[in-house]
Every structure is written in structure tokens, then in C-alpha cells.
């Protein structure tokens, strides 16, 4: 059975046939009466308004053409032109019923819920894996105190280093000032040489101390390696030396 989509054009044709059946001037044959009864039943049932049988459309078209041409009036010509089968099905297509949605079994729904909960748990574990455990520990105050003590020690170390650099510069300034007396008696030249030596030794000491501080600070920090995801599989292969005879 080929079904066509229900359109307003088909509905108008079916109602015209229904009106002809009700008129007293039209008498149907038994097979034509059966067709008219099918049309009445189709129009009375609202559930069948999505599609209509193509064979029924053909019979309706034949009846409309037969009785519209038999009237012989002027209006029958215009009505007859709309009753041809190709005109009735214009704008309609072959009806393809929609597939009913598949119902999932309760076991499948339960299994899907289990998988979703497992995925959510893994995602949460992955998100919190990079959090420092100290920050989430209840002993936050103790950690803050330890951090303050460490900062205080760093400040003390930097202060001692700066004092040592200045002390070394002052010692070099004094030494150059005293030694330069053997080479020149010009006081300005002696002060200039001492100042240049002071600047040079302070610059060298500052550079070396800066390198030392960077090395000490960088060495105390341990770089955290991110853990591999759980779905990563590492395959190891052992390659041994082949012994030849």
C-alpha cells in the first residue's frame, strides 16, 4: 500500500465527494457507495489525517470526474480540472512513517548511570591531583609560620651578603688608597683609583652573590611532575645483547 501525505487539496476533494453523496440528485453504485463510506470514515477519524491511501485517492478522483462531467454545467468544467489525480496529489509526497524511538532497558540505563558516575569521579580526581596538599591541610597556620621563618632567614642572609660586599669594597678602597701613595702623590688621583677599585670589586661581588642566590633558590625548589592519566599505558621492552658463537 502506497500512502500519500494529507494536504488541504486532498481534503477539499474528499469533502466535495462527501457533499455529492449527500445531494439527492446523485445516486452511487454499490462500489461507489463503498468508496464514499470510506471517505466519510476517513474524514470522521482525526487520527488518520497524516496520510491517505493512494488507491482511495484514485477512486475519489474517478468519482469526482465522473459526476462532475455528467452534470454538464459551466461550473463543472472548472471543478473537473481540479479532480484529476495528478492535480489532487500536487504538493503531496509519499508518506514515510517516523521511526518510533527505541526504548532503553532498565539494565542499560543503570549501566549508563554507573559509567557516568565513574567518569565524573575520574574527572574530579584529575582536577584535584595538581592541588598542593599543604594548602588543603588543616594546619594552615603552622605552614604560614614556617614560611615566615624561611622568609626571615632569606632576608637575614641577603643582609649579611650585602654587608660583606660593602665591607670588601671598603677594604679594597683603603688598600688601593694606601698603595697608590707609592706611585703618585696626587690626592685626587689616589681617590679616583681607589673609587674605581671599589666600584669594580663591588660589581664583581654583587654579580657572584646574585649567581649564588639564584642557584640556592632554584636548587631548593623541586619541580613537580604531573601524573600521567589513568588511561595511558606504558609498554616497556628489554633489549638484550645477542651472543654470537
Amino acid at each position: 500500500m502506497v500512502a500519500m501525505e494529507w494536504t488541504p487539496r486532498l481534503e477539499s476533494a474528499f469533502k466535495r465527494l462527501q457533499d455529492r453523496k449527500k445531494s439527492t440528485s446523485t445516486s452511487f453504485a454499490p462500489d461507489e457507495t463503498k468508496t464514499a463510506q470510506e471517505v466519510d470514515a476517513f474524514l470522521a477519524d482525526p487520527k488518520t489525517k497524516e496520510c491517505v491511501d493512494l488507491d482511495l485517492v484514485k477512486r475519489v478522483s474517478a468519482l469526482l470526474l465522473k459526476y462532475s462531467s455528467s452534470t454538464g454545467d459551466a461550473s463543472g468544467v472548472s471543478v473537473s480540472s481540479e479532480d484529476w489525480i495528478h492535480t489532487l496529489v500536487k504538493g503531496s509526497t509519499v508518506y514515510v512513517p517516523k521511526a518510533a524511538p527505541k526504548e532503553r532497558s532498565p539494565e542499560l540505563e543503570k549501566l549508563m548511570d554507573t559509567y557516568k558516575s565513574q567518569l565524573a569521579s575520574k574527572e574530579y580526581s584529575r582536577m584535584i591531583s595538581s592541588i598542593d596538599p599543604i594548602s588543603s591541610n588543616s594546619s594552615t597556620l603552622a605552614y604560614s609560620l614556617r614560611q615566615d621563618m624561611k622568609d626571615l632567614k632569606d632576608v637575614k642572609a641577603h643582609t649579611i651578603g650585602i654587608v660583606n660586599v660593602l665591607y670588601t669594597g671598603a677594604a679594597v678602597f683603603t688598600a688601593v688608597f694606601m698603595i697608590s701613595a707609592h706611585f703618585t702623590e696626587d690626592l685626587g688621583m689616589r681617590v679616583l683609583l681607589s673609587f674605581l677599585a671599589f666600584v669594580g670589586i663591588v660589581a664583581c661581588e654583587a654579580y657572584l652573590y646574585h649567581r649564588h642566590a639564584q642557584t640556592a633558590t632554584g636548587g631548593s625548589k623541586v619541580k613537580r611532575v604531573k601524573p600521567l592519566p589513568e588511561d595511558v599505558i606504558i609498554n616497556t621492552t628489554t633489549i638484550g645483547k645477542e651472543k654470537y658463537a
Side-chain angles (χ1 to χ4, degrees):
M1 181 186 73
V2 179
M4 304 296 294
E5 290 185 356
W6 184 249
T7 60
R9 189 186 298 272
L10 292 174
E11 184 178 4
S12 177
F14 276 41
K15 288 183 177 180
R16 287 200 303 272
L17 181 62
Q18 194 177 40
D19 294 339
R20 286 190 176 277
K21 178 187 175 184
K22 294 179 181 179
S23 63
T24 57
S25 60
T26 304
S27 59
F28 289 158
D31 55 344
E32 297 174 349
T33 303
K34 181 180 178 181
T35 301
Q37 290 176 353
E38 292 181 10
V39 170
D40 293 339
F42 181 84
L43 293 176
D45 189 2
K47 297 181 180 179
T48 59
K49 293 300 180 63
E50 292 184 359
C51 62
V52 60
D53 188 7
L54 180 60
D55 181 65
L56 180 60
V57 175
K58 291 179 180 179
R59 286 182 285 157
V60 169
S61 175
L63 286 177
L64 290 175
L65 290 173
K66 176 181 178 181
Y67 288 101
S68 62
S69 61
S70 63
T71 56
D73 54 354
S75 61
V77 177
S78 60
V79 173
S80 177
S81 63
E82 297 180 359
D83 297 337
W84 291 98
I85 181 65
H86 67 276
T87 307
L88 292 180
V89 298
K90 185 181 294 184
S92 178
T93 57
V94 177
Y95 177 75
V96 179
K98 297 180 181 179
K102 296 182 179 179
E103 296 183 358
R104 294 182 178 180
S105 61
E107 292 79 7
L108 180 59
E109 291 289 343
K110 186 177 180 180
L111 185 61
M112 293 297 294
D113 293 339
T114 304
Y115 285 157
K116 288 180 181 179
S117 61
Q118 290 179 357
L119 289 176
S121 178
K122 288 183 179 180
E123 183 67 17
Y124 178 75
S125 300
R126 186 185 65 82
M127 290 173 60
I128 66 174
S129 61
S130 59
I131 298 178
D132 191 356
I134 297 178
S135 61
S136 60
N137 196 0
S138 59
S139 59
T140 307
L141 181 59
Y143 172 73
S144 301
L145 291 176
R146 289 196 299 268
Q147 188 67 27
D148 293 340
M149 293 296 295
K150 182 179 179 299
D151 294 340
L152 185 60
K153 289 181 180 179
D154 292 340
V155 172
K156 183 179 179 181
H158 289 310
T159 303
I160 294 174
I162 293 172
V163 171
N164 288 334
V165 170
L166 294 177
Y167 180 78
T168 304
V172 171
F173 181 88
T174 303
V176 173
F177 182 79
M178 298 298 295
I179 294 173
S180 62
H182 299 283
F183 300 99
T184 179
E185 295 181 355
D186 188 0
L187 182 61
M189 182 60 67
R190 293 172 61 188
V191 172
L192 180 60
L193 292 174
S194 301
F195 180 74
L196 292 176
F198 172 81
V199 172
I201 194 64
V202 168
C204 293
E205 288 284 346
Y207 174 74
L208 294 176
Y209 179 75
H210 178 68
R211 290 289 301 274
H212 172 71
Q214 280 189 341
T215 305
T217 305
S220 61
K221 293 183 179 179
V222 179
K223 187 176 181 181
R224 176 176 294 178
V225 180
K226 294 183 178 180
L228 293 175
E230 296 181 0
D231 55 350
V232 175
I233 301 175
I234 301 177
N235 296 325
T236 58
T237 304
T238 304
I239 302 176
K241 295 182 179 180
E242 297 182 358
K243 296 182 179 180
Y244 297 93

